[in-house]
Amino acid sequence: MSTDTAARPAGTPKAVGVVWALLGLNTLGSAGAKTIVTIPRSLIQMATMGALVTAFALALVLNLRLRIRPSAFLLLLSLLLIPSVLSSANLEVGYGALFRCFRLTLFVGTLWLLTRWWDGSLTFVRHHIRMYFVALCTVAVGLVIAPGTAMPEYYGGRLVGALWPLTPPQIGQYAAVIIGLTVLLLIGRRTTKGSAAFVIVPSLVLLALTHTRTATVGMLVGLALAICSLVMTSAAARRFFAWTVACVTVGAVVFYSAIQSWFLRGQSQESLSNLTGRAKVWDALLSAPRTTGEKVFGTGLGDKSFGGLPIDNSWLAVYNEQGWTGVTIVASMLVVLGGVALLRPPSLSRACAIFLISYVGISSYTEAGLGDASPYLLHLALAAALLATPATPPPLSTPAVPTRHVPRWARR
């Protein structure tokens, strides 16, 4: 039976979804927009770190016998801990670096414990969609309660989290990912049109209000590649692709001015060309003097900033914190996942994995997070779970039939 028709494994406990949701809560972050009720950052950090500890403990309880499955992605992610610890041990960025290493270790350890249920089914896709849809619901509630706080001027009128401090790129990322995954489930007939509309329509509205260009481009490109992987084997994918191309072409012509205005976000062409100031930070980071050890292993896990400004590039953030060793490992992670996805036969699970890998690859150019516990690593972990082959059950052993003793006289 192919993976695109596999149902939820009978041996997968429902508590696994709770563990996955707790991992997502840990990656929400503690810094962001101003909320309706000011939440101390220390309290948010306690909640997110407590979620990670709880996720690890619950995963350990569910997998007491420590049954894990081999995973090249998680092996490379575990190797990433080596440059992280070596560079953080110098304490150039403070004791917070060691705390981040401990957090990354728990994150990776929890994923290893969950590999017992990685079998290429869509179980974790549904957990992923539910988790981030709940996060988007909090954003929508904040928008209804306090629209002024949810769309502040200091963010240029872009949508932020008014109940939990979520930034526009975070909201755009969550919306784009669950839109893409839900569309693929709809094409694969794994959800109804009503359920899909219930998720896609409000998520599209929130994505539009965030004005997040990276998330939008990543979603469109990722969906195009994922649907193309299904075109040869799915008539529904061919119809959807044809209608989408036609609608996008007509919409781009009719609403060109509105789309251009939304894309520019009131910025000048010069500001857009230097990526809203990101290029200046990148140039300063690359031109900064570094020792040989800092080039090889980095300066230690930090807050993904340089000179007090966000780096907003996964590759440069990894280079800054984990050096060329970290960059090589992260690149290997994406190459391995992409290579495995290309070698798998066409299926819905493979298409979802291609979408996630493509989205993360595109987002890595203007977003940081591939070198530390983040939603982007969680997306890649989901892709690894989708590309895992179903576990082969051990063969049933036939019980030996005891031989009956036959007396000698009877044998004669």
Side-chain angles (χ1 to χ4, degrees):
M1 183 175 63
S2 61
T3 56
D4 60 340
T5 58
R8 189 177 76 88
T12 304
K14 293 183 178 180
V16 169
V18 178
V19 176
W20 197 259
L22 291 172
L23 288 176
L25 175 60
N26 173 255
T27 61
L28 290 182
S30 58
K34 297 179 181 178
T35 55
I36 300 173
V37 178
T38 303
I39 307 175
R41 185 176 180 183
S42 59
L43 182 61
I44 297 177
Q45 290 175 333
M46 288 177 58
T48 54
M49 192 60 196
L52 179 58
V53 174
T54 305
F56 179 79
L58 183 56
L60 190 59
V61 170
L62 294 173
N63 194 2
L64 282 176
R65 296 186 179 181
L66 301 182
R67 294 178 178 174
I68 60 175
R69 299 193 62 192
S71 172
F73 165 74
L74 284 184
L75 178 60
L76 291 169
L77 188 55
S78 301
L79 291 177
L80 190 62
L81 291 170
I82 296 176
S84 302
V85 174
L86 290 177
S87 59
S88 300
N90 295 326
L91 299 179
E92 290 188 19
V93 293
Y95 288 97
L98 294 178
F99 175 79
R100 292 183 179 93
C101 288
F102 173 72
R103 174 173 174 252
L104 181 59
T105 303
L106 278 185
F107 185 84
V108 175
T110 306
L111 291 177
W112 272 116
L113 292 172
L114 292 179
T115 56
R116 176 182 177 181
W117 298 282
W118 288 10
D119 60 353
S121 68
L122 300 173
T123 303
F124 286 91
V125 172
R126 301 185 186 280
H127 294 327
H128 214 64
I129 293 175
R130 293 189 192 106
M131 172 181 65
Y132 285 127
F133 187 71
V134 170
L136 292 181
C137 285
T138 64
V139 175
V141 171
L143 177 62
V144 173
I145 296 177
T149 305
M151 303 186 71
E153 289 297 329
Y154 59 84
Y155 265 116
R158 301 171 64 190
L159 180 64
V160 300
L163 298 181
W164 187 276
L166 297 176
T167 61
Q170 285 180 285
I171 300 172
Q173 175 195 169
Y174 305 156
V177 167
I178 68 173
I179 289 171
L181 292 177
T182 306
V183 167
L184 292 175
L185 289 181
L186 181 62
I187 293 175
R189 297 178 180 178
R190 294 305 184 85
T191 186
T192 63
K193 293 181 180 179
S195 300
F198 180 74
V199 173
I200 293 174
V201 173
S203 299
L204 276 174
V205 174
L206 296 181
L207 176 60
L209 292 177
T210 61
H211 288 262
T212 308
R213 296 175 292 222
T214 301
T216 304
V217 173
M219 179 189 69
L220 295 176
V221 174
L223 268 178
L225 294 175
I227 295 174
C228 285
S229 70
L230 293 172
V231 164
M232 299 302 295
T233 58
S234 173
R238 290 192 291 270
R239 289 193 300 268
F240 185 87
F241 185 78
W243 277 104
T244 302
V245 171
C247 293
V248 168
T249 302
V250 174
V253 174
V254 176
F255 302 103
Y256 174 77
S257 298
I259 294 174
Q260 184 183 37
S261 177
W262 180 90
F263 194 81
L264 289 175
R265 294 193 317 225
Q267 299 172 343
S268 62
Q269 292 290 345
E270 180 182 358
S271 178
L272 182 63
S273 63
N274 62 24
L275 299 173
T276 322
R278 290 186 179 95
K280 298 179 180 179
V281 180
W282 298 349
D283 292 339
L285 187 150
L286 292 173
S287 61
R290 294 176 184 272
T291 64
T292 303
E294 290 174 344
K295 291 180 180 179
V296 176
F297 296 112
T299 60
L301 294 184
D303 57 357
K304 313 298 176 288
S305 65
F306 181 80
L309 296 174
I311 297 175
D312 286 341
N313 181 289
S314 285
W315 303 103
L316 292 180
V318 171
Y319 169 71
N320 183 53
E321 297 182 355
Q322 290 134 320
W324 284 114
T325 305
V327 172
T328 303
I329 294 174
V330 170
S332 301
M333 287 161 44
L334 288 174
V335 169
V336 166
L337 286 175
V340 173
L342 292 177
L343 294 175
R344 289 283 186 268
S347 66
L348 183 57
S349 296
R350 174 179 179 252
C352 291
I354 290 175
F355 167 76
L356 292 167
I357 297 168
S358 305
Y359 179 86
V360 172
I362 293 172
S363 300
S364 65
Y365 185 65
T366 58
E367 296 292 336
L370 284 181
D372 205 348
S374 68
Y376 296 103
L377 284 187
L378 206 57
H379 300 333
L380 293 181
L382 175 58
L386 289 167
L387 295 173
T389 55
T392 304
L396 297 176
S397 58
T398 305
V401 179
T403 57
R404 185 177 179 182
H405 176 69
V406 181
R408 184 177 300 177
W409 62 267
R411 279 182 279 177
R412 290 199 301 268

